[in-house]
Structures are given as C-alpha cells and as structure tokens.
Amino acid sequence: EFAVNKAKSHNRLAIICLGRLIDEVKRQRRQRTLHPSLSSATSGATVTFYDYASSFFSEHVVKSSSAEEDTPTIQLCSFLQTCTLNWIEDIARKADLSTLTQTGKNLKSFVDGRNDFLGPLSPEMRMVRGWAKDLIHIATAFGHFLLDEPAAIHRVIPPLCPRNSTI
C-alpha cells in the first residue's frame, strides 16, 4: 500500500518536466516579442527546476511505464515539435552538449520500448526516433559551432542538415 511504483513515478516526472520546458519556451518567446533585447535566461527560483528538467527529462521519459495510457508520448511530441531548437540553444549556452547525446540515446530507447504499445511506424514514434538520431548528429557534427554561437541552431544549422532529417 505504501510502495512507490517507479515506472509511474518516472511517467509523472516526465510529464512535469516536459510541461515545464514547454512553458519556459513559451515564456521566452513572449519575452523576446515584448523585449527583444532581453536575455533568454530564466529568472528567480525557477532556474533550478528548469535546469533539472532540461537536463534530465529524457531519463524520466525512458524509464516511464510502457503499458500506461497516460505515457508522456503526447507531451514529448508537443515538446519535440515546438521547443526542441530553443532547448538545444539553452543546452549549448550551458556548454555541455553531452546532454544532447544522452537525450538522443534515451529517446531511441524510449521508441524501442514502445514498439509493442504504439507501433514503430506511428507518426509519433517516427518523429521521436528522428529526433533521437538528429540530436546525436547535431552534437557531433555541429557541436563546436553551437558552443561558439548557440543561436545558430535556429538559422544556420537546419539548412546544413540532410533533407530527410527531422530538424
């Protein structure tokens, strides 16, 4: 009765982390629209949890339960569709691109573990698998550019990627 279900806990943490990341990107976009000269850095007490979510959301995603209907897949797809480039920029500003590589590996494991549940050819799983590959390639092929100019992920790097890549 007092036991903690690890998979359900990771599932919940993944949803919370992804929600925080999505909210922060929306806040940054509003801030840039209203005040283009302001930095994109987070402020106040939210920095700690945002940094945690940014670095470790994929750890929770990959360890979440696969048989639950409330898996973080919908939240993950929303994040990948709308926030990935901003997240990559934030990771590059922290100068630790190993997070990109580890997230790519975790997303690949997530997809591999969901093949029975969602099917490997579902649009969601194709997108997650595509980003898993792209994150690793971006870190290895463009890492030094990202560290020098993190904002390059928006305007310089995507045109240099293969046409069939998810980015």
Side-chain angles (χ1 to χ4, degrees):
E1 150 181 16
F2 296 106
V4 174
N5 182 313
K6 287 184 181 182
K8 286 184 180 181
S9 298
H10 282 294
N11 189 51
R12 181 74 179 129
L13 285 167
I15 291 168
I16 291 169
C17 287
L18 287 164
R20 177 65 180 101
L21 293 172
I22 292 168
D23 290 346
E24 180 62 23
V25 169
K26 288 178 184 176
R27 186 195 68 75
Q28 287 177 4
R29 287 179 183 157
R30 280 193 310 269
Q31 184 178 13
R32 285 182 189 147
T33 301
L34 296 173
H35 309 286
S37 63
L38 292 178
S39 164
S40 66
T42 57
S43 61
T46 59
V47 171
T48 303
F49 185 69
Y50 174 77
D51 289 341
Y52 175 83
S54 182
S55 297
F56 298 108
F57 78 91
S58 70
E59 298 289 334
H60 296 298
V61 168
V62 75
K63 294 176 182 175
S64 64
S65 57
S66 60
E68 295 293 319
E69 287 187 30
D70 61 337
T71 56
T73 306
I74 294 170
Q75 193 87 348
L76 177 61
C77 289
S78 176
F79 168 76
L80 292 173
Q81 287 175 329
T82 61
C83 303
T84 308
L85 298 183
N86 293 77
W87 171 75
I88 292 171
E89 180 182 0
D90 286 346
I91 294 296
R93 288 187 193 288
K94 295 175 190 172
D96 183 13
L97 298 181
S98 66
T99 301
L100 296 181
T101 305
Q102 187 59 49
T103 299
K105 291 175 183 177
N106 287 340
L107 293 181
K108 183 186 179 317
S109 294
F110 174 76
V111 171
D112 292 345
R114 297 302 190 274
N115 282 342
D116 294 339
F117 186 65
L118 292 172
L121 299 178
S122 71
E124 297 88 1
M125 291 299 102
R126 282 194 318 235
M127 180 180 52
V128 175
R129 186 180 301 277
W131 272 114
K133 288 191 316 188
D134 283 1
L135 289 174
I136 294 169
H137 290 140
I138 288 168
T140 55
F142 302 108
H144 57 288
F145 294 117
L146 281 173
L147 293 174
D148 289 342
E149 182 56 46
I153 192 63
H154 297 284
R155 62 189 184 288
V156 177
I157 294 173
L160 298 175
C161 293
R163 285 187 179 188
N164 62 347
S165 64
T166 305
I167 190 172

